[in-house]
Amino acid sequence: MNALFKALNDPTRRAILERLRNGPASAGAIAEQFQFSAPTISHHLDLLRQAELVTSQKQGQFVVYTLNMTVFDELMGWLIQFKS
């Protein structure tokens, strides 16, 4: 759970997650939307992957990232218990 909150703590990583709401994207396509170097975006994507918020799959020369909705569902279930 600590890796999850660490990943969500950064505004760039949250912006990447928002981008992935529109569907899967390659690391290059994600990087085009930010003014950071490719290695910086790769670092953010790696932290999101370690927190299991995204999955990655190699497709030819590209690595495509997708939201892992299972983790979001588990997080929502955990958070909602505090509302009741």
Side-chain angles (χ1 to χ4, degrees):
M1 187 81 66
N2 286 339
L4 175 67
F5 286 115
K6 178 182 178 181
L8 292 173
N9 188 44
D10 184 84
T12 300
R13 290 191 284 274
R14 291 192 305 268
I16 291 170
L17 292 172
E18 288 175 22
R19 162 53 188 95
L20 291 173
R21 277 189 359 206
N22 298 324
S26 68
I30 294 167
E32 288 175 357
Q33 299 179 356
F34 297 92
Q35 294 182 345
F36 298 113
S37 67
T40 298
I41 294 298
S42 291
H43 173 73
H44 285 297
L45 288 167
D46 188 51
L47 289 174
L48 290 170
R49 194 179 47 74
Q50 288 177 29
E52 298 182 2
L53 290 166
V54 299
T55 59
S56 61
Q57 182 178 16
K58 189 148 174 85
Q59 295 181 355
Q61 297 177 350
F62 304 100
V63 177
V64 175
Y65 292 86
T66 306
L67 287 178
N68 181 0
M69 294 309 297
T70 302
V71 173
F72 286 99
D73 291 340
E74 290 172 2
L75 176 62
M76 289 303 298
W78 182 77
L79 288 172
I80 206 145
Q81 73 179 336
F82 294 100
K83 188 173 181 177
S84 302

